[in-house]
Amino acid sequence: MDSGKGLLASELDSQRTLNPYVTGTSVVGIKYKDGILMASDMGGSYGSTLRYKSVERLKPIGKHSLLGASGEISDFQEILRYLDELIIYDNMWDDGNSLGPKEIHNYLNRVMYNRRNKFDPLWNSLVLGGVKNGQKYLGTVSMIGVHFEDNHIATGFGNHLARPILRDEWKEDMSFEEGVKLLEKCMLVLLYRDRSAINKLQRRSDWWWWCFMEIGEVDVETRKDRSYLDSGDYEEVTMNKSCSSPRTSAGATLIAKITEEGITVSQPYALKTFWGFTAYQNPTKGAEGSW
Amino acid sequence: MASKQQANWSPYDNNGGTCVAIAGSNYCVIAADTRLSTGYSILTRDYSKLQQLADKSILASSGFQADIKALQKHLSAKHLIYQHQHNKQMSCPAMAQLLSNTLYYKRFFPYYAFNVLGGLDNEGKGCVFTYDAVGSYERVGYSSQGSGSTLITPVLDNQLKSPSPLLIPQETEAVDLVKDVFASAAERDIYTGDRVEITIVNAAGIRREYAELRKD
């Protein structure tokens, strides 16, 4: 950077996001029969340190939308403040109108692109999902304003690891159960492969909490038979014996009900992992020169 | 400190894509593939790079998607104002000049967009305008822009730079040629593929066709 002899420019430079600090990883979203399903974990990484473990990166926006964010957490929180203001000011018209997912997505597109034009980007990839008037909507924006809609979307690593699975297995009008199952499959692959897989120290990844959100009408009853959803707080899951140590999994509760009127975020819960794969037992076997 | 893990950011990205337009005596064919990419990744396989700006002008653009979208919105807004002021649709040559001016206006922070504008002129003849990112433009009989242009342009040169105007193809032949050049470009250009969207403008109006391309 410029050595800055008291220049205004250098002062402004220091107020730009030149690189991200606390970041969230992939967000995955799909359309399903009644609306949109989205998944992300709750980690906030400080470089490669897992600094925060319960960051909510899926947030309801207004009545009809759901926003998922990866990238800089503080920038996401600023975006949430923008959206709060937008929705409050829109609400003050008191005309019975409300902003739908399309409008919110459009707004975010403009904000992200406008900030890149000012060379002061918001360091996020956002996923916006929603339902309004029976219309499903799923879109995304990147930090420089690239945006599009699709039936399934994943940010960051998710675009490499989850979307091939989604392209293979996603279909129109999936049930809630099928949708959650598909997302869990994606998130499991991301859990296994996001972050350099041979780093033995980082295999301690039992702190990946999952946060599910859902838009659309879903029957509460159907969720009860999902065993890991209906138990209480924490449960100990002893993993395969060949693993060096048993791992703790957090098994938590609830994905609550939502209609077109509302949005439901599940309680955080952990996916059941299996670390007994031979590739994990000796990950560097056959990789000469490695430790 | 969580230092430079990420590369310093760039305000531009190349989202790839190929645009082709061919002008005939009484028609114009404008086409672009529907793949949107970044680096070695595909973002979506179904993104339209075509935008109808007026009754008889269609813009095909490749390059940086966010810039392209901003450009399209700007041109559409300008056209709306034009309609209010003149109570008519802008002609394709007028739109061509507007596009040039719009691109040059951002000469020092350009729209990273490679455009081909096609349609019918005031005489009802097919017209194609081809651009660079900062607004230089030219009226031509055919053009290709974007990531597959290096593969397509010589083929169009060979097939269309005809010694006689009598050899200018008929509409259906032009559409077939477009399908072929896109299928060929998709063989070698990783940024071209999935599907090609073809619009045909003629006296009857606008018709749209799709053809499947390689998805790998």
Side-chain angles (χ1 to χ4, degrees):
Chain A
M1 219 186 357
D2 192 84
S3 58
K5 292 169 186 169
L7 290 170
L8 184 65
S10 64
E11 210 168 281
L12 287 173
D13 277 351
S14 65
Q15 296 192 17
R16 289 178 178 155
T17 308
L18 299 169
N19 42 48
Y21 282 89
V22 181
T23 56
T25 180
S26 317
V27 176
V28 186
I30 58 171
K31 284 188 188 170
Y32 82 110
K33 190 159 146 280
D34 305 307
I36 305 295
L37 287 167
M38 235 187 250
S40 78
D41 63 52
M42 300 184 81
S45 301
Y46 181 70
S48 48
T49 305
L50 215 195
R51 179 66 182 78
Y52 300 100
K53 295 180 288 193
S54 54
V55 185
E56 282 184 37
R57 299 194 288 116
L58 304 178
K59 291 283 191 185
I61 306 295
K63 276 185 188 168
H64 317 280
S65 313
L66 176 58
L67 179 62
S70 52
E72 172 66 45
I73 298 297
S74 66
D75 282 350
F76 175 49
Q77 288 166 349
E78 185 170 319
I79 289 167
L80 290 176
R81 283 197 292 275
Y82 290 156
L83 289 169
D84 255 1
E85 189 186 280
L86 179 77
I87 281 156
I88 284 170
Y89 274 87
D90 179 62
N91 199 239
M92 284 195 279
W93 287 95
D94 198 23
D95 54 3
N97 284 331
S98 57
L99 296 169
K102 206 174 153 191
E103 289 79 30
I104 302 289
H105 189 218
N106 201 222
Y107 175 79
L108 290 171
N109 296 156
R110 304 321 296 180
V111 170
M112 299 303 273
Y113 183 66
N114 184 240
R115 290 290 293 263
R116 90 104 212 191
N117 283 345
K118 292 176 177 167
F119 282 77
D120 184 15
L122 293 163
W123 213 289
N124 301 101
S125 282
L126 305 172
V127 180
L128 195 101
V131 194
K132 195 184 178 186
N133 304 325
Q135 270 296 97
K136 285 175 260 185
Y137 189 94
L138 183 60
T140 181
V141 213
S142 78
M143 68 181 278
I144 52 175
V146 173
H147 58 277
F148 55 91
E149 289 171 48
D150 213 330
N151 293 322
H152 45 74
I153 277 167
T155 63
F157 248 99
N159 201 37
H160 294 104
L161 299 176
R163 290 202 73 199
I165 300 171
L166 295 172
R167 283 187 179 131
D168 225 32
E169 299 180 18
W170 182 90
K171 50 196 188 321
E172 199 92 41
D173 291 327
M174 297 176 90
S175 70
F176 173 75
E177 278 70 27
E178 289 174 313
V180 170
K181 223 177 214 168
L182 181 56
L183 280 187
E184 284 179 349
K185 185 173 181 178
C186 292
M187 296 313 278
L188 194 65
V189 170
L190 284 167
L191 168 58
Y192 283 141
R193 285 299 177 191
D194 196 344
R195 309 240 151 205
S196 45
I198 54 145
N199 190 336
K200 290 172 181 170
L201 290 174
Q202 288 188 349
R203 283 210 335 210
R204 176 173 279 284
S205 45
D206 27 24
W207 284 110
W208 295 65
W209 297 61
W210 306 88
C211 185
F212 263 93
M213 295 183 96
E214 174 223 333
I215 290 196
E217 280 180 281
V218 180
D219 179 16
V220 183
E221 293 308 304
T222 55
R223 252 165 262 152
K224 289 212 173 136
D225 38 321
R226 302 193 64 76
S227 52
Y228 53 83
L229 294 180
D230 55 27
S231 62
D233 295 319
Y234 298 83
E235 62 176 350
E236 279 260 309
V237 179
T238 309
M239 295 308 297
N240 189 292
K241 289 211 176 75
S242 60
C243 251
S244 50
S245 64
R247 284 167 199 288
T248 327
S249 275
T253 1
L254 274 181
I255 304 176
K257 174 175 175 166
I258 99 148
T259 60
E260 276 225 338
E261 299 293 300
I263 302 159
T264 310
V265 190
S266 80
Q267 289 297 306
Y269 68 99
L271 292 177
K272 289 217 167 91
T273 51
F274 175 69
W275 298 97
F277 298 117
T278 49
Y280 283 113
Q281 292 186 38
N282 195 354
T284 54
K285 190 181 173 191
E288 226 171 299
S290 173
W291 73 93
Chain B
M1 174 165 150
S3 55
K4 295 274 159 61
Q5 260 203 316
Q6 323 239 354
N8 216 343
W9 74 289
S10 161
Y12 290 116
D13 189 8
N14 187 0
N15 300 116
T18 305
C19 311
V20 168
I22 299 172
S25 51
N26 57 355
Y27 68 90
C28 188
V29 182
I30 305 102
D33 68 314
T34 65
R35 175 175 292 184
L36 195 72
S37 315
T38 179
Y40 288 128
S41 304
I42 295 170
L43 291 173
T44 177
R45 298 182 189 281
D46 192 23
Y47 185 83
S48 176
K49 295 179 185 71
L50 303 181
Q51 166 97 340
Q52 188 177 152
L53 296 172
D55 242 6
K56 281 163 185 173
S57 43
I58 286 173
L59 178 64
S61 330
S62 66
F64 174 41
Q65 187 270 349
D67 274 351
I68 290 167
K69 201 48 170 286
L71 179 64
Q72 289 173 343
K73 285 198 172 195
H74 183 87
L75 292 172
S76 293
K78 280 287 182 101
H79 185 248
L80 190 68
I81 293 167
Y82 182 95
Q83 285 177 85
H84 286 137
Q85 288 178 335
H86 300 97
N87 196 30
K88 66 172 184 184
Q89 296 276 316
M90 203 184 278
S91 71
C92 194
M95 187 59 81
Q97 184 64 55
L98 175 63
L99 175 54
S100 172
N101 294 157
T102 308
L103 290 168
Y104 193 78
Y105 185 78
K106 272 175 72 67
R107 172 64 179 77
F108 298 109
F109 183 26
Y111 286 121
Y112 191 68
F114 300 97
N115 300 294
V116 182
L117 179 70
L120 299 180
D121 65 13
N122 289 324
E123 280 107 68
K125 285 193 281 202
C127 56
V128 170
F129 297 89
T130 185
Y131 295 80
D132 72 1
V134 289
S136 310
Y137 81 115
E138 183 183 22
R139 183 171 174 170
V140 289
Y142 58 89
S143 181
S144 169
Q145 289 271 6
S147 59
S149 66
T150 47
L151 287 79
I152 290 176
T153 307
V155 180
L156 295 181
D157 287 340
N158 180 250
Q159 295 293 305
L160 297 174
K161 215 170 70 186
S162 51
S164 153
L166 293 172
L167 292 174
I168 289 174
Q170 290 306 299
E171 193 181 295
T172 49
E173 293 170 50
V175 171
D176 286 347
L177 178 61
V178 164
K179 286 177 184 169
D180 282 347
V181 294
F182 269 96
S184 305
E187 294 281 345
R188 287 283 178 161
D189 177 22
I190 58 167
Y191 298 111
T192 301
D194 297 324
R195 216 151 61 123
V196 56
E197 182 184 16
I198 306 166
T199 52
I200 303 103
V201 189
N202 55 29
I206 290 175
R207 195 172 85 244
R208 209 180 301 278
E209 271 186 47
Y210 292 94
E212 296 298 312
L213 297 173
R214 289 178 73 108
K215 287 182 172 44
D216 59 356

